[in-house]
Each structure stands twice: as structure tokens, then as C-alpha cells.
Amino acid sequence: MKKLATTEFRAVSPVFGGGTPNATLELLSGLSTHNPAVAGIIYQEYRDFFADATSTLPSHLRANNFQTESLHNYLQKFWFRDEVEPKLGFTAFHGIEQMAPHDEPVYPRDKILYDHAISRIEAAAGKKLFLHLATMYTHGPYTDGNGSEPIANYRKKLRASINDMEEFITSIRSKYPEAFFFIYGDHKPSLPETQLSPSSGRHEIGDVPVLIIDPIADRANKLRSQTEGKPFFCFPAVVAEIYYRMDLPVKKYNETACSEYKGSHYMEAANSIPAWVYTAAMFDETASVPLYDLVSSSR
């Protein structure tokens, strides 16, 4: 993948070994999932409380005439994605049930996801499109019943997953050279080799890779300069500003914590977002200000 990347760097996921929805929510909303306002796996714990209209990057893109879709090559009901993600601004959520049949014993190859994504891109017929793809093939457990070391099984699955991703990106770039890709590790795999000491901080535990593939290198490098080594919740406002010329409402409440972020102060940054912002952005059905009136016009 490195040969395709415009730039690569590290970021900080809120989870380790699982709990992908919390990583997703941070990257979509700009809200930390380690804030006292919320707890647990947010999709699961709050699925009945999300407002039908929330303040997220895809919801504001949707209001600005983007088609926004989320695709995941696993069961629709897993972590209640089918209930929650349509409320996060996606015009459609597709699970494995909407994709081609597969014969994998547990988790489908990511190629199935990418083939479906290509079909959705073609169906969009030139519309502005934002796709969020959550892959599944490299997920644990990593035992195969043959006595192989878990790390060896993980690396085998990872190689296959990377090959599928490279083929997908190469295909898309040949047809849509203006497309750009934001690729992130949602969390480290739970393996003996990835376990840190009990004294490790949240910053070290959540350390994951990010790759940007962008035909405009200056744009990708600007994103890196403003987000490298920072928590996932710092990304949406920066992505919105650099790539879409929008100011997300959440920027006002996490900008200081993100611009001044230090790895040793992860929890202080996570706790700095006022609790009421979570209510206003995620759970308030009675807000007096229409959600999309908060989106700034293109500059």
C-alpha cells in the first residue's frame, strides 16, 4: 500500500482489539467516545436514543447534495449498524446481505466489499459521492485449528486484505482520477505481539496507521500536518475544511484540545468537549436550530 500512498502517518484510535463502531463514530462526528457524556460501545448502548438527524461529516455532506453511503462486508445487525448509521447521515447502509454470496468459513473476503462499492459508484452516475467502507476479513480470532501461530494467521489474512484493497484503489483511480482515499486502521488486532504494558496510556494503546491517497499532494500533506499523531475525533473538522470547504459545528468545541494535543494528555483532550454538545449533536430531536443551517457555505 505504501507505493500508492501520497502520505502516511499515525493516529490514535479509541479502541483496541475490537469495538470498531467507537472508532467510526469519532471519525464521523468529531466527538470523543472516552468522554464522560457517553460509555460503552456507542452504537449498542445508544441505538434507541440517536436522533434521526445528527451532526456528522456525512450528514453535512448529504445536506450539500452528496450521496453518502456506508458499506460493511458483514451482518447488517452486527453492532446495530443498520439502525444507527442511517441516523449518522448516510443515505444508505449495506451489509453482507446486499452483497455477492461468499464461501468463506467465517468472515468474507474484502474483495466482496470492494466489488459492491464499485457497483455503488457506478450506480451514482456522476453524483458527488462519499463512501465509508468498513472491512472485515482481518478481524480475529486468529486461530485456524491447524496449530498455526495466531500472528502467522493474521499476517496471511492481512496480505490478502491488502491485495484486495490495492486492486480496488487501482481500479477506481483508473476510472476516476480525481478520487481520494482516507485509509485508517480502526484498532490494533488482539494478539500477544500487540499487547502493551498495564501502564501504557491511551495514546500508545490506540496508535494505528493512516494512509492518504490523493491526486493533490499538497492537500494530503496539509491534512497530515494538522492531524498526525492525534485522536480520531480530531479528524472530521479538518477533513471537512480541507476537502469540502465546510466548517463543522463540532470544530468550535474540539479545536483547542486538538490543536494543543499531547499524547500524555489524551483523557484531558477527550474530556474537554462539553457534555451538552453530545446531546445537541447526537440525541436531540427538539433542537430549535435546523441541523443543516449550521453548515457554512463553500468558500
Side-chain angles (χ1 to χ4, degrees):
M1 288 299 299
K2 289 184 177 181
K3 67 180 182 291
L4 294 176
T6 307
T7 188
E8 57 175 311
F9 53 99
R10 311 296 293 187
V12 186
S13 168
V15 289
F16 174 89
T20 295
N22 283 11
T24 301
L25 187 71
E26 288 201 359
L27 283 166
L28 297 179
S29 71
L31 299 173
S32 171
T33 56
H34 284 284
N35 188 284
V38 291
I41 304 300
I42 310 305
Y43 283 22
Q44 176 172 279
E45 302 299 333
Y46 299 91
R47 66 186 184 278
D48 295 329
F49 302 100
F50 280 99
D52 289 334
T54 59
S55 182
T56 65
L57 175 58
S59 70
H60 291 292
L61 290 175
R62 181 178 180 177
N64 282 272
N65 300 315
F66 274 76
Q67 186 166 318
T68 57
E69 298 191 5
S70 180
L71 314 177
H72 180 48
N73 54 324
Y74 198 55
L75 305 175
Q76 293 181 90
K77 292 289 185 183
F78 192 52
W79 288 129
F80 302 97
R81 283 181 172 90
D82 62 326
E83 296 181 41
V84 175
E85 295 207 344
K87 296 182 178 182
L88 299 181
F90 290 110
T91 53
F93 168 74
H94 289 179
I96 192 63
E97 293 87 345
Q98 284 79 43
M99 301 179 190
H102 67 94
D103 56 5
E104 296 290 337
V106 182
Y107 297 132
R109 279 284 295 265
D110 294 333
K111 185 180 188 304
I112 296 171
L113 171 69
Y114 296 133
D115 287 347
H116 190 70
I118 289 172
S119 73
R120 299 305 300 163
I121 293 169
E122 292 172 348
K127 295 178 183 177
K128 295 185 293 184
L129 184 62
F130 174 89
L131 286 181
H132 180 264
L133 311 182
T135 64
M136 193 68 186
Y137 188 63
T138 56
H139 208 286
Y142 303 108
T143 54
D144 62 3
N146 297 321
S148 300
E149 288 293 325
I151 186 65
N153 290 326
Y154 170 70
R155 287 171 174 163
K156 180 179 178 181
K157 296 180 75 172
L158 184 61
R159 283 192 293 270
S161 183
I162 289 173
N163 287 339
D164 289 348
M165 185 181 293
E166 287 181 339
E167 289 181 5
F168 168 68
I169 291 172
T170 301
S171 174
I172 295 301
R173 294 180 79 190
S174 69
K175 297 178 182 178
Y176 309 98
E178 74 282 7
F180 57 88
F181 304 81
F182 177 92
I183 304 161
Y184 65 94
D186 54 345
H187 55 72
K188 290 187 178 80
S190 183
L191 290 163
E193 292 79 4
T194 61
Q195 300 293 331
L196 300 176
S197 71
S199 62
S200 298
R202 186 70 257 164
H203 182 89
E204 292 75 24
I205 294 170
D207 174 62
V208 293
V210 173
L211 287 83
I212 309 296
I213 299 173
D214 189 341
I216 305 175
D218 288 348
R219 187 170 59 179
N221 290 324
K222 185 177 181 181
L223 175 63
R224 173 179 177 170
S225 71
Q226 295 186 33
T227 57
E228 184 171 15
K230 295 183 180 181
F232 280 179
F233 61 81
C234 295
F235 280 76
V238 180
V239 171
E241 181 176 2
I242 294 174
Y243 282 84
Y244 301 108
R245 298 183 178 180
M246 294 193 307
D247 286 331
L248 294 185
V250 73
K251 177 182 177 181
K252 180 178 179 181
Y253 305 102
N254 71 11
E255 184 175 29
T256 298
C258 290
S259 63
E260 299 176 356
Y261 177 75
K262 296 180 180 179
S264 59
H265 296 161
Y266 179 94
M267 291 308 300
E268 288 91 332
N271 293 341
S272 68
I273 304 172
W276 69 263
V277 174
Y278 288 75
T279 300
M282 295 286 113
F283 309 122
D284 189 0
E285 294 280 14
T286 63
S288 58
V289 179
L291 174 67
Y292 301 129
D293 284 356
L294 297 176
V295 181
S296 68
S297 59
S298 296
R299 291 175 290 195

